[in-house]
Structure formats: C-alpha cells, structure tokens
C-alpha cells in the first residue's frame, strides 16, 4: 500500500486493496458481506490502519473492527482510535455485539500523547460496554501493549496458534498462544486466523444481542450419546446435539465450562469433574468468571457437581487460594440468572454449598441416586465420628474404607440429602436432560432484586 495518498482515486484504491484484515471480516459476516464505515479516514498520508464495519452473523447484526497490519504495522493512531470508538458508540446506541480483530504492534510512537489518550478512551468504552453488549476479541496476529489489555477486556478472547498476546515481550515465553490458554487469558486457541474468527462466531451465536435481549433460540437435534461420568460426556449427552463449545479448556483443568443449547435455548454449562482432581485456585477463577459472564446476559447456568472439594496443601494456603474460593461463592450467590445444579457424584462441604447449595446459589438442585452429599468427606467423617471402631483393626485402611462406605450409604446418600431439604429431587441419568429443560421453562419468569448498591466487592 502506498505510504502517501491524497486523491479520491488513491483513497478508493487503497481502501479496496485485498488484505488479511479485510479477509477476516469476510470470515465473520454472513456470505462475507459487510458495510464498511469511514473507509477513507486517514492518519496523515496513510489510511487509519483499521477496517470498521457492520453486517450480519447468523442473521443478527454485529459491529466489527479489524486492524490492518499492512498500514504502519497496524499501529494505533488517533484516527484509528476514533474509528474504533465510533463502533463502540454505535454498539451502545443500538445494543449490538462487537467483534474486535487485533493485529498490531502497538501505538504509533509518532502520535505520542495522542495515542495514549486514544487507548484510554477505548479502554473506557470497552469497560462501559462490558455486560451491556457481548464483546469478542480475536487475536489474529500480534496484540501488544495497551491493545492486549483492550482485547482481554472482552467477554471472550480467541487467539490464533501463531499469534502473540502480551503487554510487554518476555523472552522466556516462547509460545504466546499456548501460554495464553494455560493462564486463562485466551478462551480458545485455533489453528489460524480463519478458524479463530469462526470460533468467535460460534461463541457469538450462543449469546444474546445485549443484556436486555432474550437468550437466542435455535432449531435443535437431540443428543445421540448416553450420559457418561466425565464433564465432557455429561455435557454432550445432556445438551443439544453438536451444540457444545468448551471454553478455557487448558486453564483450571479440573473444571469444565462451555456454552451450549438445551432444547434450543442457550445455556452455560459448568462441571467439576473434568479430571479427578480437587478444585484449584485456577478452577475457582475460571468458573467465577464464566458464571458472571452468563449472568450479565441472563444465560441460565447449569452446574454438574462431582468433586471432593477444594485443593488443600501448603501451596494453596501460601498463595491465598481462599480468595479465589470466596470469589467462586460470590459469583454464584450474586448471579440472578437461572441457576440449576445436578449432583452427579461427590459433593462435600464447601464445594456443595458453593456450587449446588440451596438459597444463595442454586434455584433448583437435583441429585442422582448414586450421589454422595456430605459436610465432610466420608473418610474424614469416620475419623472424627467412628475413630474408636478402627482400634485394633488388622488392616486399618480396609477398615476405614468399609466404615466410610457405610457412612456414605447411611448418612450421605442423595435420599438423606433430599430428606433434609438439601436437594429438590432425585433423578436418574436418563432424566437429567428433560428435568433441566422443564426447570428452565418453569423458571423463565424468574425475577429477583438485590439491595441497592453501586456494585458488590468481589474478591479479585
């Protein structure tokens, strides 16, 4: 592209030059069609370095911007910021989602303080729109400096495998995308920019247009799988066929979060048995963030509980993981969207209270007939309550386990939990899907008010 353009003919030619930035917008919008905004806006002798547009995604309007790395390496100028700010402003006025496609090495240093002010304005915009309209960030190339903070302020960040996302470069981090997935910065890592944009579309179609719109409804196919025991197997067997999109798969690996549809309606799915491990600080942060995102757009949250609880070791205490556990509890308790829980396995103490407990957390809570719900892990309960019965045992471990099994059956069964009002019903595996669909339908008119306040003070 020419470094100096001035005539209308040159502006037209420059604005219509095929680039990766333009191609990425065709991946996003239906039939590759979109209406460009401010196509001739320039920064000095060059175009602004970003393409802004609106179009339709699965028939619903969406605004988008795509940074053009062929213009000054995509550097953010005041002109570029004004184009992006206009997209945010239009989104605020119309209640339409925004997709930002990032490919820039940072601010234009020749713009100096203007670029700093521009970034400040954009960060204000994305913050003000947070929880009002869905925002999806696609990191298609380099996303550095303040742009990284802008991208990470979105509801979900999708990154291409060879892209980079950082505030300041770090020579010790060799794979930026992989690292972003492992630390929870990126919700999805894709093979290339095209698949990253397509992943963003998949997420977007499961979100409402804005915080006042109903959740999207779709034609659906029944699941073809039987309900398994692991998180992914449960989600895919309960939710509509081919509707499950897992998010943050590489972060907080004991837990599972996904967007899906159930009976054609969008839902958020949380499960705690992706692995057999206890929940870590990362798991708590992952689930809390996901629940708050779903709550912002009134997407029902379905939680499948099967965990022995929170991890407890020296590192857990040293790192102050109790803050993240409190954050998880706060996220569920504060959420006013529909919250349903199914205890599919173990649910002990604080984990049950936080994820499936009645009152502050679950509107309706169910348990499989094989579930174990207890204030303490059965083995721990036996040590406290029946320690004398272990004296003189020739095989202490076998004796302890036998007592623990007996305790689980007699004192911690789903029947006992139901009798004590801890759960609303006991169901079989093949009843989970219909029970949840019926529960969402009956809870559709849920209304709840909180005490007047500026905002809650959640642990971060």
């Amino acid at each position: 592209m020419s470094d100096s353009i001035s005539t209308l003919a040159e502006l037209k030619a420059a604005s219509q030059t095929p680039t990766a930035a333009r191609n990425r917008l065709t991946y996003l919008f239906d039939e590759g069609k979109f209406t460009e905004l401010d196509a001739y806006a320039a920064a000095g002798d060059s175009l602004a370095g970003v393409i802004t547009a609106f179009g339709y995604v699965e028939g619903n309007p969406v605004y988008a911007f795509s940074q053009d790395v062929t213009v000054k390496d995509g550097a953010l100028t005041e002109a570029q910021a004004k184009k992006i700010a206009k997209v945010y402003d239009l989104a605020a006025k119309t209640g339409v989602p925004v997709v930002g496609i990032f490919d820039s090495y940072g601010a234009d240093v020749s713009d100096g303080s203007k670029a700093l002010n521009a970034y400040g304005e954009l960060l204000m915009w994305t913050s003000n729109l947070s929880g009002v309209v869905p925002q999806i960030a696609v990191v298609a190339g380099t996303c550095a400096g303040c742009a990284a903070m802008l991208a990470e302020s979105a509801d979900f960040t999708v990154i291409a495998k060879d892209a980079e996302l950082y505030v300041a470069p770090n020579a010790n981090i060799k794979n930026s995308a992989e690292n972003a997935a492992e630390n929870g910065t990126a919700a999805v890592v894709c093979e290339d920019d095209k698949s990253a944009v397509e992943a963003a579309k998949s997420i977007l179609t499961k979100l409402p247009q804005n915080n006042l719109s109903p959740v999207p409804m779709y034609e659906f196919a029944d699941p073809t799988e039987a309900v398994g025991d692991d998180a992914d197997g449960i989600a895919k067997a309960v939710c509509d066929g081919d509707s499950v999109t897992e998010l943050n798969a590489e972060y907080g690996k004991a837990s599972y979060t996904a967007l899906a549809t159930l009976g054609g309606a969008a839902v958020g799915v949380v499960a705690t048995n992706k692995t057999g491990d206890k929940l870590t600080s990362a798991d708590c942060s992952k689930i809390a963030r996901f629940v708050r995102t779903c709550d912002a757009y009134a997407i029902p949250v379905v939680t499948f509980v099967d965990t022995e609880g929170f991890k407890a070791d020296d590192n857990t205490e040293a790192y102050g993981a109790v803050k993240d556990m409190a954050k998880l509890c706060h996220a569920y308790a504060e959420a006013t969207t529909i919250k349903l829980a199914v205890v599919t396995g173990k649910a002990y103490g604080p984990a049950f209270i936080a994820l499936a407990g009645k009152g502050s957390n679950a509107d309706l809570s169910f348990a499989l007939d094989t579930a174990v719900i207890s204030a303490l892990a059965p083995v721990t309960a036996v040590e406290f309550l029946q320690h004398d019965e272990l004296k003189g045992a020739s095989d202490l471990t076998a004796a302890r386990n036998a007592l623990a099994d007996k305790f689980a059956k007699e004192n911690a069964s789903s029947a006992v939990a139901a009798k004590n009002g801890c759960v609303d019903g006991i169901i079989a595996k093949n009843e989970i899907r219909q029970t949840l669909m019926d529960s969402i339908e009956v809870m559709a008119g849920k209304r709840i008010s909180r005490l007047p306040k500026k905002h809650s003070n959640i642990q971060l």
Side-chain angles (χ1 to χ4, degrees):
M1 184 177 292
S2 171
D3 291 332
S4 179
I5 52 178
S6 56
T7 68
L8 179 59
E10 289 174 329
L11 281 169
K12 285 184 176 180
S15 66
Q16 295 171 4
T17 300
T19 62
R22 190 171 295 278
N23 288 339
R24 290 162 184 160
L25 290 176
T26 66
Y27 304 151
L28 175 67
F29 291 114
D30 295 347
E31 300 178 358
K33 298 177 180 178
F34 58 87
T35 300
E36 188 170 350
L37 300 169
D38 301 315
Y40 302 152
D45 292 333
S46 302
L47 291 178
V50 67
I51 301 171
T52 55
F54 65 85
Y56 293 86
V57 175
E58 298 295 330
N60 293 311
V62 172
Y63 288 104
F65 63 85
S66 181
Q67 290 183 306
D68 189 349
V69 75
T70 66
V71 180
K72 294 184 177 180
D73 292 329
L76 185 93
T77 61
E78 184 178 30
Q80 182 180 137
K82 285 182 177 179
K83 288 186 68 172
I84 297 174
K86 183 175 181 177
V87 165
Y88 286 133
D89 183 42
L90 289 169
K93 291 175 179 176
T94 58
V96 170
V98 177
V99 175
I101 304 175
F102 293 83
D103 189 1
S104 169
Y105 287 91
D108 183 0
V109 293
S110 65
D111 246 9
S113 58
K114 290 182 179 179
L116 295 177
N117 289 335
Y119 267 127
E121 181 182 3
L122 294 181
L123 286 166
M124 180 196 70
W125 265 115
T126 190
S127 176
N128 287 344
L129 282 176
S130 180
V132 178
V133 299
Q135 299 179 67
I136 311 294
V138 178
V139 181
T142 298
C143 183
C146 289
M149 294 192 294
L150 189 63
E152 193 56 20
S153 296
D155 294 305
F156 299 102
T157 302
V158 181
I159 188 171
K161 184 178 68 175
D162 295 328
E164 296 180 291
L165 177 65
Y166 58 83
V167 174
N170 187 328
N172 293 321
I173 302 298
K174 303 301 181 184
N175 190 325
S176 180
E178 182 178 319
N179 182 65
E182 291 176 353
N183 64 28
T185 306
V188 182
V189 177
C190 299
E191 191 64 28
D192 52 31
D193 61 346
K194 186 175 188 292
S195 56
V197 174
E198 289 170 347
K201 287 178 64 173
S202 177
I203 295 171
L204 196 61
T205 55
K206 295 181 178 72
L207 300 174
Q209 283 289 99
N210 54 62
N211 62 332
L212 300 179
S213 298
V215 295
M217 295 288 297
Y218 296 98
E219 296 291 329
F220 66 93
D222 290 331
T224 58
E225 302 177 27
V227 178
D229 294 321
D230 66 301
D232 192 58
I234 292 172
K236 290 180 178 177
V238 171
C239 297
D240 299 337
D242 297 322
S243 74
V244 179
T245 300
E246 184 179 1
L247 302 166
N248 292 108
E250 300 303 316
Y251 176 61
K253 292 187 178 182
S255 58
Y256 178 95
T257 52
L259 289 171
T261 62
L262 183 61
V267 295
V269 178
V270 174
T272 60
N273 63 338
K274 188 174 180 179
T275 69
D277 299 319
K278 292 184 178 181
L279 299 177
T280 65
S281 175
D283 291 300
C284 293
S285 292
K286 168 181 173 177
I287 296 172
R289 163 71 172 171
F290 181 74
V291 169
R292 285 172 64 83
T293 302
C294 289
D295 185 51
Y297 301 108
I299 299 170
V301 176
V302 177
T303 305
F304 297 104
V305 184
D306 181 9
T307 177
E308 294 186 7
F310 301 111
K311 188 174 182 180
D313 56 24
D314 290 344
N315 287 336
T316 300
E317 296 304 320
Y319 295 149
V322 67
K323 289 200 336 180
D324 295 303
M325 298 170 191
K327 177 167 60 180
L328 172 64
C329 295
H330 192 135
Y332 269 99
E334 184 184 43
T336 59
T337 190
I338 297 170
K339 296 173 290 186
L340 307 175
V342 181
V343 181
T344 60
K346 303 171 182 176
Y348 300 157
F352 173 78
I353 295 170
L355 299 163
K358 299 294 296 298
S360 65
N361 298 325
D363 295 307
L364 294 173
S365 186
F366 304 93
L368 298 186
D369 51 9
T370 55
V372 180
I373 301 170
S374 175
L376 295 171
V379 170
T380 305
V382 165
E383 284 291 348
F384 275 103
L385 304 174
Q386 298 173 275
H387 184 73
D388 290 344
E389 297 181 39
L390 296 173
K391 292 179 179 178
S394 57
D395 187 335
L396 186 60
T397 300
R400 183 186 293 110
N401 289 339
L403 286 174
D405 288 342
K406 182 180 179 182
F407 178 88
K409 292 175 182 177
E410 296 180 356
N411 303 93
S413 67
S414 53
V416 172
K419 180 180 178 181
N420 293 329
C422 292
V423 295
D424 294 292
I426 301 171
I427 58 177
K429 278 188 174 181
N430 62 2
E431 297 174 321
I432 296 175
R433 174 176 166 84
Q434 191 61 52
T435 299
L436 292 175
M437 289 171 63
D438 291 343
S439 298
I440 289 175
E441 184 174 355
V442 78
M443 292 292 299
K446 178 184 176 182
R447 298 291 184 270
I448 189 168
S449 298
R450 299 298 192 197
L451 292 172
K453 54 185 173 180
K454 188 172 183 180
H455 58 73
S456 63
N457 193 18
I458 189 171
Q459 285 284 359
L460 296 174

